[in-house]
Amino acid sequence: MVGIHPVHRRLAELTLKARAIGGYHMLSPLEKREMEHCLKVNFDLVSNLDSLKSVAFVAYTSGDAEWHQELCAKIEQIESKLI
């Protein structure tokens, strides 16, 4: 299953509209602010997941199964919202 976060869906909608009207510069000021918000949320989501996955790898390679499981649970919790 490929998850699509609501922010990603909205980014796709705004991109579709921008393409139809001649570019991102043609979006309304409200849509431009919404685009910025979506990009920030996306950045935060990706950064958080990347950090957790990096630390989970450290936990795995150090043999700390309990810590690794805790991190994997956090990752799964975030990824479960990507529907």
Side-chain angles (χ1 to χ4, degrees):
M1 173 176 69
V2 175
I4 302 295
H5 191 278
V7 163
H8 300 136
R9 186 165 308 284
R10 185 59 183 146
L11 282 169
E13 291 167 354
L14 289 167
T15 298
L16 181 64
K17 181 175 182 180
R19 286 182 176 179
I21 63 174
Y24 292 103
H25 65 284
M26 299 298 290
L27 293 173
S28 72
L30 177 62
E31 290 167 328
K32 289 177 185 176
R33 284 193 304 275
E34 190 176 4
M35 178 75 78
E36 282 185 44
H37 171 75
C38 288
L39 290 170
K40 182 196 177 308
V41 171
N42 180 65
F43 173 80
D44 293 344
L45 176 66
V46 170
S47 295
N48 191 20
L49 278 172
D50 284 351
S51 293
L52 285 170
K53 288 178 180 183
S54 292
V55 175
F57 180 72
V58 170
Y60 175 79
T61 57
S62 69
D64 192 332
E66 184 178 337
W67 186 29
H68 183 251
Q69 287 176 346
E70 289 173 21
L71 292 164
C72 287
K74 288 180 184 179
I75 292 166
E76 288 177 17
Q77 180 183 19
I78 293 169
E79 288 179 342
S80 71
K81 296 177 185 173
L82 299 177
I83 296 174

